[in-house]
Structures are given as structure tokens and as C-alpha cells.
Amino acid sequence: MEQATSANKAIAKDAIPAATALINQNIFTSEELANTLSHYFKEPIGDINDYQFSHTCEQIDKKQLCLTSNTLPLQITDSVLYLGVSDPTDLNAQDEFRFATGLMIKPVILEHQQLQGALRKLYGKNLSSITPDSLSVSDSELAELAEFDNAQDVDELATDEAPVSRYIQQVILDAIRKQASDIHFEPFEDSYRIRFRLDGMLQLHSTPPAGISRRLSTRLKILAKLNIAERRLPQDGRIKLTLSNANSIDMRVSTLPTLWGEKVVLRILDSGSVGLDIDKLGYNEKQKADYLSALDKPQGMILMTGPTGSGKTVSLYTGLKYLNTAERNISTAEDPVEINLPGINQVNINNDIGLDFSKALRAFLRQDPDVVMVGEIRDLETAEIGIKAAQTGHLVLSTLHTNSAAESINRLMNMGVAPYNLAASLSLVIAQRLARRLCVHCKEPHPIGDQQLSALKHHYPSLKPSHIFVAKPNGCDRCNHGYLGRVGIYEVMNIDSELADAIGQGATPQRLQNIATSNGALTLQEAGIEKLNEGVTSLAELQRVISL
């Protein structure tokens, strides 16, 4: 009874579908709910894979109605529209489609999660409550803007042209729906391209007319409070998009003058989509235990290393969330702050006014800190201040851009940090990458040729050929070309006494790697094979990310 009451409250307060509320409250699974409705209404459960729904949805062209009503046009036969529903009691949705199409409506019961997966694949997440139909921009409006784009005066370009503003909002909201991390607006000589970065890979979103290039870049610069008259130099800014009273999205904006106009990249900083759950990051049990053990120490330095976009910030903030209690004073210096975590003092680095990492770190140490996070160690001054802090009773977390854990130690030595100081302060070094997860609903077994298998087994004896899967070429209705989300691959180097002695002696990265491996640490490649054996990712993805 309590679960049913909570479900009713969620339906009323959050305006979510009844089926979603019932499943979220664990009253039914998706399959149980479909079976119950099928039995009650004496209707069979449909299989979404039996329908060419993409073509039907394109023909019907009622994206907003599909999202708001959580329904999916499946097929049109003899003036009858077969409409996929997970809640056949919602007669208003059927009436709206009957009115909008002039067709007779035949509801088809679908599993709720299957229906949501298809809608997500077609349109992304449902943001219907904040995306009215008035945002949609027709191709003819864009073509008209491109045809008559003769505006040369800056003031004229700065005016808020309704179609351009609506089009930009439409693109941004589509990116948020699809959980993109970046949006690329790219001008070329005879074309214009907008791409989204989804699960680490760029994918084409749309190709508006090339003639609106200047209008788009100008409007984006106005939103980011940049100088619209300056088109020869790169600029950086931020946009805050308010979705609702309780939900807003920050975006970092970067412009770049190219041969055919200004390219604009928006980095979506959506703190709400980051779970910060250590159990979901991809650490194995030993790696997780080593990380938590280092976090539990009252002092020392924890380093995260890897290329840009490898998930270092999420790993650090997962640790900070674990440490975030009322008894600890935690301060961070970042460029820029990407994840907002209440209870932590976060500082945005601003080099234009002289506020760099070293200056912020010095200020932190006068603020009675327990834990300090420095976004990146870029120079000897920052490194030395951080190491001294780690030696004097503070827990310090930071990042470096190196390829492996052992190379991070070598990089600090090359900066000029004394080996004995590193040996005395380092607690843990983690190298990481992000690989796309295979979709659990459509992944397929991957038979490997004898020659390739022999070569892999020679380098990685733990490989289990029968456990290897590959992405289904076109994916399914729940994923993105056979992949869904990403998983971390980690090399965790716990600095024990043997490693500390070697660091103090100025050991080479290869020797440090050998010591760590002999003590049970996995290399990135070995950690990748572990994920391959678990069926989490594919061989092709590992070859792309860590060069197996």
C-alpha cells in the first residue's frame, strides 16, 4: 500500500507516466506490468521488433506528441494506426493521435522499457515538460534565413532572430535528451555540420544550410556573453540554460576562427547526470579496495592520470563524495568547475586575474583544510605545494596527463620534484581510460580467427575466447549502434614500501611497472582483457582505446 501511495505521489508531483512510477516503486517489473495489462484488457503483448516503426514515425511526424504521451506509432494498415502503448488506460493519447492523423487507432500493448528504449533511440530522453512545440523550426525557415543572410552590420546580427534562437534551443535540448557531452557547430565552404559526442564518439546530428553559419555563431556568442565583433581570435564563455525551476544545465563555450567561419563547441556540464557511485565506475574488487584505502588515509597524495575525456574528474569526485562529511573541510581548484557537489568549497581558476592552481592551493592551506583537490598539476610550483601539503597532514587529490601510472611518477621527477619527496607523499596512482559498454540486449558472440586468437593468447593468457562479444552493427531500439554508456578501465598502482623505495632511488617507469605487476596490479591492457572476458566491451573498442 505504501508503494502504491508513493507511486501516486510521483505521478502527480513529477508528472511521470503511471507505468514508470509503478516500475520505479518496484510494484511491477516491465514484463510483469505488460502481462498484467494484457490479461486484464484481453490484448496480446506486441513485439516492437515486428514493426518498421522508424518509417511510420517519420511519416506521422508527431515527435512531441509521442514524447508527451509516451506512445509510438508502429504501423499504418487500411486507415488504421497501430499505436504502441504501455498504458492502454490513457485514452487521451489515443484521441490525440486520432485527431492529429485522421486514422482509426488500434492500441498495441508493449513492455514499458521496450517502448521507452525505442522513444529514446528515436528522440532521446523525454524533456516534454520543458520543450514546447513552439521550439521546433522548419527546414523552410532555415532555408529562408540562409537565402537572405546579407546582414553585415554587427547590430543587425545581434538581434534575436526567433528562428535562429529556437533552432539553437532545439539542438541543445536534443543533445541533452540524448545525453551528449559536447555539441560541435562546424562551418565549411558549402555546408554546415552539427555533431554530438555520444559515449565518447562524434555522431552527425544535422546539416542546416551553410548560409546561417554566421547567425548561429553570433547568437551562441551572445548567449555566452562573448564579443560578437571579434571573429579573428578564439574566445571562451559559459551558457546557463534553465530547463525548469529545479533543473538547469551549464555549458562551456569555445569559439575558434576557421577558414569558413567560426566553429563553436559547447561542453555540456550536467552534474545531475553524474552518479558518482564507485560501484558503477568499473573498478574490480582489489582496485576498489586500494582506492578506498587511500581515501581513508589522513594524508598523502592520490593522482589520476589519462588523456582528456578519460573520466578523471568523475573518478576524483567519486572519491570526494565518499569523503564529503560534516567533519571534513574539503576545497577544490578546477579549470573550470564541471561538477557541483554541495558541501565542498569549489574554486574556479581564472588566469586572467592571476588566480592559478598554485595561488589557489596556497590559499587553501591557510583555510584549515582536511582534503584538497587540485584540478591538474601543470608546473613545478603547484606540484611542490601539493606534495608538501600531502606530507603535512592533508589528503591531496589531483590529475596529470600521462599514459600510465608509472609515467606519472617519472613526469613529476622530470618537472623537478625530488624523488624522496615523491616517495614520502604518494599513496596511490590511477591511470584510466573510458571504453563503450556493449548493449546487453543485442550484443553478439564474436568468433576470433585462429591466427588472431593465438597472438592475443600469447600476450594475454587470461583471455577467454568463448566470453568475447561484438556490437550488433545497427544496434537495437535501446542502444546507440550496439553500445550503451561507458565503463572505466583502470591501472591502480598502490604505493607500498617496495614501490616507495624504488621511487626514492629514481627508478625508471619500466622498473616501477614491473614491481607493481609483481604485487598483483593490472596494466591497462590486462584490465581491458578482464572487461572483455566479462562481456562488458568489445575487442574492437579495446583496440581503439588502449591499443591491445
Side-chain angles (χ1 to χ4, degrees), residues 4 25 27 41 48 82 125 188 301 336 339 343-344 352 370 395 448 453 474 498 519:
Q25 295 294 326
I27 297 173
F41 287 96
I48 204 166
Y82 290 84
K125 289 193 301 184
F188 299 98
M301 176 177 278
I339 298 173
I344 290 179
D352 292 340
D370 297 298
L395 185 60
I448 301 179
L453 180 58
N474 295 320
E498 187 179 359
N519 291 338

Side-chain angles (χ1 to χ4, degrees), residues 391-440:
Q391 290 175 324
T392 56
H394 307 93
L395 185 60
V396 180
L397 295 83
S398 192
T399 71
L400 274 176
H401 288 279
T402 54
N403 291 325
S404 70
E407 287 178 28
S408 300
I409 297 169
N410 189 249
R411 171 71 61 83
L412 290 171
M413 290 181 185
N414 290 339
M415 281 185 183
V417 178
Y420 59 84
N421 277 333
L422 278 177
S425 58
L426 277 178
S427 297
L428 191 76
V429 185
I430 299 176
Q432 69 178 83
R433 303 289 189 274
L434 285 177
R436 290 180 294 171
R437 287 180 182 269
L438 285 168
C439 174
V440 297

Side-chain angles (χ1 to χ4, degrees), residues 317-453:
Y317 263 92
T318 300
L320 290 178
K321 183 182 179 184
Y322 174 79
L323 295 168
N324 189 15
T325 64
E327 294 78 28
R328 289 190 179 97
N329 176 21
I330 304 175
S331 296
T332 74
E334 302 166 74
D335 185 18
V337 173
E338 295 194 18
I339 298 173
N340 179 29
L341 196 56
I344 290 179
N345 308 292
Q346 298 172 272
V347 174
N348 252 323
I349 294 304
N350 188 344
N351 289 308
D352 292 340
I353 60 172
L355 180 57
D356 55 18
F357 284 116
S358 59
K359 186 167 287 188
L361 190 46
R362 279 200 195 91
F364 291 166
L365 297 179
R366 295 192 289 269
Q367 293 264 318
D368 184 32
D370 297 298
V371 181
V372 170
M373 195 268 268
V374 183
E376 185 183 349
I377 294 178
R378 295 177 179 173
D379 51 53
L380 177 59
E381 185 180 13
T382 306
E384 287 187 329
I385 299 170
I387 285 169
K388 286 177 182 175
Q391 290 175 324
T392 56
H394 307 93
L395 185 60
V396 180
L397 295 83
S398 192
T399 71
L400 274 176
H401 288 279
T402 54
N403 291 325
S404 70
E407 287 178 28
S408 300
I409 297 169
N410 189 249
R411 171 71 61 83
L412 290 171
M413 290 181 185
N414 290 339
M415 281 185 183
V417 178
Y420 59 84
N421 277 333
L422 278 177
S425 58
L426 277 178
S427 297
L428 191 76
V429 185
I430 299 176
Q432 69 178 83
R433 303 289 189 274
L434 285 177
R436 290 180 294 171
R437 287 180 182 269
L438 285 168
C439 174
V440 297
H441 304 289
C442 69
K443 65 182 181 181
E444 301 172 341
H446 183 196
I448 301 179
D450 292 341
Q451 187 174 351
Q452 185 184 16
L453 180 58

